[in-house]
Amino acid sequence: MSARASYALRDARGDAPVVIEVDELVTHYGERRILNGVSLSVREGEILVIMGGSGSGKSTLLRYLLALEQPTSGSVRILGVDVARAAPRQLYELRKRMGVAFQGGALFSSMSVGENIMLPLREHTDLDERTIQIMARLKLEVVDLAGFEHLMPAELSGGMIKRAALARAVVMDPKLLFCDEPSAGLDPVVAAALDDLILRLRAALGMTVVVVTHELDSAFKIADRIVVLDKGNILTIGSVAEVRASDNVRVQNLLNRKVEAEELDPDAYLRRLMGEGVGR
Amino acid sequence: MSAADRRTGPVRQIEQLGRLTVRGIEEVGYGAALLLESLFWVVVGRHRRQPVRLGAVVSEMMEIGIRALPIVSVLSATIGVMLAIQGIYTLKLFGAESRVTVGIALSITREFAPLITGILVAGRSGSALAARLGTMNINQEIDALRVMGINPVRFLVAPALLAMVVMVPALTFWSDFVGLLGAGIYVSLDLGMTLNAYSDRVIEVLKVDDLMHGLGKSVIFAALITLVAVVNGVSVTGGAEGLGRATTRAVVQAITAIVVTDMLFVFVVTR
């Protein structure tokens, strides 16, 4: 897709219906706050990238977007379903419309690649075995893994595992695709190929995509909009250009891969680690 | 200094004890919930178009039951012979060694076969189940199932529970047979009793109740092994080290639960 067409697509998203809506989401881990009143929305067909450093809360936010956690404060609505109030049956129906490619792939190690990809079809459809095999093979072709269906996950490289996970995530043609760190741990060439694959999948299947990553190059390449998280707060939301132009110091530090002075100060780090009273 | 640091030794120990107690109660409650949810899926899964797959149950049955046959046979035969040796030695003191068949038949069917089978399956299949679920948990495979709309209890726990509840009694029945045969061979060699006479005597002594006593216990052991393995497997944290800890814990807890439950069962049913 040309840059012009890509921007036209981004502009068009303004009128598209909202498919994910997070409102004032607060979460705790013990006494520690992980998300501090996060609010955001995702429109149909867009690629939203959630960025942030380690401990920023992006993985926790993803678990809420996947309806794996029930919000106790604030709300999460996915495809019109309020996750906190949904009946198990509603969540079951909702999940059939979502696909996820986890960071490590999360392929079932006891099943071959083909069986992994066919599993959602076998569980959720009444299709005959031959049709299921054809559909799985088509999805494997989309991710350039045709012919690898008989291999076990342990026999695949890191990049192939991620592509197989993507194939499994889209095998039911979901409305929403979530990718957790799709290019983490991969060499730049394979990482770039995966980014292209995500763009291609969105174009071919018309899905809404939410990507969690800390890889800047990847985020700038695929995002329609970027959310920058820091210590459980949203620092900024906007297009790639808007985020790049942000005057927020922490956003700029993240973009320039700088570490805050406090985090570099070994004394401050030790004080935080051991508690304020130690050493007085 | 934080409040936690200021706590004195005994207070900290009481706090630790309280925490362990709460955790224990939580785990028992979680195990009970898993049992109920598994039964729910077995009963209404097909109606909800989310059945417990027969293929998964058969595959678990192969692993838990068929592949355990050699080791169950070896141990059962050994214990049978051991009981025969000890029984003859003890009864010789009263000149009643020909009565050894009664002791062998009752102790193998009512006690040793279910106990040894339960302990063996806990060590072999319980640990494997805990390790498998722990690995799946670490690799986010259980999350992947949930996001795919596949209930992990229906997909992973119910087939294992069903297979265990069928195969542990089946293995116990096999263990009864092999244990009695092992003892019979020793008795026939030592006391000069023919195997036919020995088996007639065993059949005469044993009642259906004795067999059912052992098999009934083995059903409870099967459920305990599965639930203890699942509770420990899904609570794995801390990577490979945590996985090893959880697997060991699953085996120790399952064997403890089997022995304690056995004692309670015998106390209630036999007295």
Side-chain angles (χ1 to χ4, degrees):
Chain A
M1 187 185 293
S2 69
R4 187 188 293 268
S6 169
Y7 279 115
L9 188 66
R10 282 171 199 182
D11 290 341
R13 305 271 176 244
D15 300 327
V18 171
V19 286
I20 298 176
E21 203 170 1
V22 180
D23 188 32
E24 289 296 320
L25 180 63
V26 178
T27 65
H28 296 85
Y29 184 77
E31 289 172 11
R32 199 158 57 93
R33 267 198 173 198
I34 308 295
L35 295 176
N36 203 4
V38 168
S39 299
L40 60 89
S41 58
V42 186
R43 290 191 177 275
E44 188 173 22
E46 78 169 328
I47 297 182
L48 180 82
V49 172
I50 301 170
M51 277 179 63
S54 299
S56 59
K58 56 186 192 301
S59 297
T60 305
L61 177 58
L62 180 66
R63 290 186 68 80
Y64 281 89
L65 298 182
L66 294 173
L68 286 172
E69 309 286 347
Q70 299 264 327
T72 47
S73 177
S75 70
V76 177
R77 292 181 76 84
I78 304 167
L79 297 171
V81 176
D82 186 339
V83 171
R85 292 180 184 170
R89 188 104 186 150
Q90 271 180 301
L91 282 178
Y92 168 71
E93 292 299 330
L94 173 67
R95 282 172 174 151
K96 286 200 282 187
R97 297 155 76 195
M98 294 162 52
V100 191
F102 283 97
Q103 184 172 355
L107 297 177
F108 303 114
S109 51
S110 58
M111 299 179 190
S112 68
V113 171
E115 284 170 339
N116 262 286
I117 289 157
M118 288 186 275
L119 180 67
L121 294 169
R122 282 181 176 154
E123 288 291 326
H124 296 311
T125 69
D126 294 324
L127 297 169
D128 62 89
E129 190 59 22
R130 183 156 170 71
T131 313
I132 286 174
Q133 284 176 5
I134 291 169
M135 288 178 72
R137 205 171 302 134
L138 282 173
K139 290 297 189 290
L140 279 170
E141 276 170 20
V142 173
V143 299
D144 295 328
L145 278 180
F148 290 87
E149 53 266 46
H150 302 300
L151 293 185
M152 299 303 281
E155 298 172 282
L156 302 182
S157 69
M160 287 161 89
I161 286 176
K162 301 237 181 193
R163 280 187 282 150
L166 265 176
R168 187 178 68 183
V170 299
V171 75
M172 293 278 288
D173 292 333
K175 295 272 290 177
L176 298 173
L177 172 65
F178 297 88
C179 302
D180 188 9
E181 302 281 4
S183 44
L186 301 177
D187 69 68
V189 176
V190 179
L194 260 171
D195 293 339
D196 287 338
L197 179 60
I198 291 171
L199 289 170
R200 226 165 58 218
L201 281 171
R202 193 267 296 264
L205 305 172
M207 293 173 297
T208 306
V209 185
V210 177
V211 178
V212 170
T213 186
H214 64 270
E215 304 280 338
L216 294 176
D217 295 341
S218 173
F220 291 153
K221 184 173 177 182
I222 62 176
D224 291 324
R225 284 192 307 145
I226 294 177
V227 175
V228 181
L229 269 181
D230 182 62
K231 294 178 182 167
N233 297 297
I234 290 182
L235 293 182
T236 184
I237 306 181
S239 65
V240 173
E242 286 165 347
V243 169
R244 277 190 156 147
S246 168
D247 53 7
N248 186 306
V249 179
R250 294 188 78 89
V251 174
Q252 285 307 318
N253 284 345
L254 183 76
L255 298 188
N256 297 319
R257 298 174 195 272
K258 279 185 192 164
V259 183
E260 297 259 315
E262 184 205 347
E263 286 161 24
L264 277 177
D265 177 1
D267 290 337
Y269 176 71
L270 266 179
R271 272 202 303 278
R272 256 207 340 257
L273 197 70
M274 302 177 73
E276 286 301 314
V278 176
R280 268 181 203 166
Chain B
M1 190 181 279
S2 69
D5 296 326
R6 282 195 297 271
R7 283 178 199 130
T8 55
V11 174
R12 198 177 286 178
Q13 280 171 2
I14 291 168
E15 190 182 293
Q16 182 73 9
L17 182 69
R19 205 169 282 145
L20 282 172
T21 310
V22 170
R23 189 179 151 184
I25 293 167
E26 267 177 9
E27 286 185 349
V28 170
Y30 183 46
L34 277 173
L35 178 65
L36 290 177
E37 196 177 341
S38 298
L39 293 175
F40 170 83
W41 286 115
V42 170
V43 175
V44 299
R46 192 156 293 280
H47 173 68
R48 291 196 165 204
R49 298 164 63 85
Q50 296 177 68
V52 176
R53 304 272 176 202
L54 187 63
V57 179
V58 171
S59 155
E60 293 280 0
M61 283 167 81
M62 284 295 291
E63 193 52 48
I64 293 164
I66 306 301
R67 297 208 172 101
L69 274 176
I71 187 69
V72 168
S73 305
V74 170
L75 283 190
S76 302
T78 310
I79 283 175
V81 172
M82 193 181 75
L83 272 175
I85 296 169
Q86 293 284 24
I88 291 169
Y89 173 78
T90 310
L91 291 172
K92 215 174 242 174
L93 299 174
F94 310 102
E97 56 265 47
S98 63
R99 308 288 294 168
V100 73
T101 325
V102 181
I104 290 170
L106 291 180
S107 49
I108 285 184
T109 52
R110 292 176 70 93
E111 198 53 59
F112 282 99
L115 192 64
I116 208 70
T117 307
I119 289 173
L120 214 141
V121 173
R124 197 179 164 277
S125 303
S127 60
L129 182 61
R132 176 152 52 97
L133 292 178
T135 310
M136 290 184 78
N137 197 22
I138 291 170
N139 293 341
Q140 290 187 293
E141 291 172 40
I142 292 178
D143 281 345
L145 279 175
R146 289 175 65 198
V147 178
M148 276 189 246
I150 300 172
N151 186 298
V153 175
R154 171 180 71 85
F155 193 76
L156 298 170
V157 183
L161 184 66
L162 267 184
M164 204 70 95
V165 165
V166 173
M167 291 319 281
V168 176
L171 282 174
T172 302
F173 191 72
W174 174 250
S175 172
D176 285 340
F177 175 73
V178 177
L180 289 171
L181 181 68
I185 290 170
Y186 184 83
V187 167
S188 64
L189 290 173
D190 197 29
L191 301 182
M193 187 189 281
T194 64
L195 262 180
N196 271 348
Y198 169 82
S199 53
D200 286 346
R201 187 82 187 105
V202 167
I203 292 166
E204 191 185 312
V205 167
L206 281 183
K207 296 190 191 98
V208 175
D209 274 1
D210 298 318
L211 276 175
M212 294 314 288
H213 179 98
L215 296 178
K217 275 198 292 198
S218 69
V219 173
I220 300 173
F221 296 166
L224 284 173
I225 294 165
T226 315
L227 298 176
V228 167
V230 174
V231 168
N232 280 289
V234 297
S235 58
V236 166
T237 51
E241 196 186 331
L243 184 63
R245 246 193 332 262
T247 311
T248 309
R249 202 164 164 259
V251 175
V252 172
Q253 283 185 353
I255 292 175
T256 309
I258 284 171
V259 175
V260 171
T261 310
D262 193 3
M263 188 270 286
L264 292 173
F265 190 94
V266 172
F267 183 81
V268 172
V269 174
T270 312
R271 283 179 80 244

